Amino acid sequence: MSIIEALIFGIVQGITEFLPISSTAHIVITQILLGYQFPGFGFEIFLHLASILAVVIYFRKDLLVVITGFLGYFADRSRDNRTQFFFGIYIIVATMITGVLGLVLEDFIGASMKTPPFIAIALALTGLFLIIIERFVKYGNRTEKDMTFKDSIIVGLGQTLAVFPGISRSGATLVAALFAGLSRDTAVRYSFLLSIPVILGSSVLAIGDFTDGAMVAEVGIAALIVSFIATFIFSWLGIVWLIDFLKKSKLVYFAIYCFAAAIFVYFFLDNSMIIEL
C-alpha cells in the first residue's frame, strides 16, 4: 500500500466512522475506486482501533464518570452513582444484544448482500430512517437518569442492523435512541459510548487476521503508521463536528447524502462484484 493510499483510507475511515453514513460502505467504495483489496480483516480492524482511541480520549471524562459511578454504586447507593451504574448496565445490555444477534445474523449474510446493489439499498434505507426520525417522530427529552432497560433493548436491536453492509452503526443507534424518546444529546452520547465495546468486541473476534503477520507484510509499517494517525485525527474531527452539527442542524442532511451515495454505488460501480467484508 502506498502512503497516499494509506492516507486516503485513514481519512475516509476517520470521517465516516461516527457519521450516520456507513463507514463500511465508504471503505468498500474507496477500495473499489483505488483498486486495492484489503489483505483480510486485519487492516480494517487496525483503522477501527484508531477511531476507538479517538472516542476514548474525547469522552475520557464521561467514561471516568460512568466507570467510577458504576463501581461506586456497590459502596454508595447515591442517586448519582445509581444513574451511572444503570447507564453502564444499559451499555452492557445493548452490547450483548448486538453481539449475540450479530453473530447469528452473520451466518445469513450471503454473497448477494456483499454487492454494490445491496449496499446501495442499505444506504438508501439509512437515509429513509433518518428522514422518518427527523420529520415524523417528536424528539424526547429523557436523559440518562430517565433511561430504562427498554431503551437499551431498542438501541441494541437497532445497532444489530449494522451487521448488514451499508447500514450505518451510528445512524442505527441514533435513530433507535431518538425513537425510544431519548434527548438528542443523550442519544449522541449513548451512541458514541456504545461504539467502544462493540468495535472492540468485533476486533477481538477477528484478532487472528490482525496478528497473522500478513497485514504488516502486505500494507507496510510506514503505511500502517500513516493510516492510523490519519484515522485518529479525522475520527476526532468527525466527533467534534457531528456533536456541533447536531446542535444546529438536522439529520435530514445526512439522509440526502446517503441517497446520493446510494445512487453512485448502484449506477457507477460494477453490480456483479462480490465484495469481501
Side-chain angles (χ1 to χ4, degrees), residues 106-245:
E106 274 191 333
D107 294 333
F108 293 94
I109 298 179
S112 63
M113 296 184 185
K114 298 179 181 180
T115 59
F118 185 89
I119 292 177
I121 292 172
L123 283 168
L125 285 175
T126 297
L128 178 62
F129 281 110
L130 288 174
I131 288 178
I132 291 173
I133 201 69
E134 186 72 68
R135 297 297 187 186
F136 303 104
V137 177
K138 185 179 180 181
Y139 282 167
N141 56 9
R142 295 191 299 118
T143 63
E144 59 194 54
K145 71 177 184 294
D146 306 308
M147 287 181 67
T148 65
F149 279 101
K150 180 181 177 181
D151 299 320
S152 63
I153 293 172
I154 291 173
V155 175
L157 291 174
Q159 186 172 237
T160 302
L161 296 176
V163 71
F164 295 104
I167 296 292
S168 166
R169 189 211 67 84
S170 60
T173 53
L174 275 175
V175 168
L178 292 171
F179 177 80
L182 299 182
S183 68
R184 184 180 288 200
D185 289 344
T186 302
V188 170
R189 181 169 177 263
Y190 190 38
S191 175
F192 274 119
L193 294 182
L194 267 177
S195 69
I196 299 173
V198 168
I199 296 178
L200 285 178
S202 62
S203 299
V204 169
L205 292 176
I207 195 66
D209 292 296
F210 186 73
T211 59
D212 65 0
M215 178 189 70
V216 176
E218 174 70 22
V219 177
I221 296 296
L224 286 174
I225 294 173
V226 169
S227 62
F228 189 91
I229 293 174
T231 299
F232 174 82
I233 292 173
F234 283 89
S235 293
W236 182 285
L237 293 175
I239 294 169
V240 174
W241 183 80
L242 178 62
I243 292 173
D244 184 64
F245 179 88

Side-chain angles (χ1 to χ4, degrees), residues 11-40:
I11 292 173
V12 171
Q13 165 65 26
I15 290 176
T16 62
E17 177 62 43
F18 301 113
L19 301 186
I21 56 176
S22 179
S23 64
T24 298
H26 284 77
I27 285 294
V28 167
I29 293 170
T30 305
Q31 288 186 77
I32 293 173
L33 293 178
L34 293 180
Y36 186 93
Q37 186 71 37
F38 289 170

Side-chain angles (χ1 to χ4, degrees), residues 54-70:
V55 174
V56 170
I57 294 177
Y58 185 88
F59 286 96
R60 61 190 181 280
K61 293 181 180 179
D62 298 80
L63 280 171
L64 184 61
V65 168
V66 174
I67 293 172
T68 55
F70 184 92

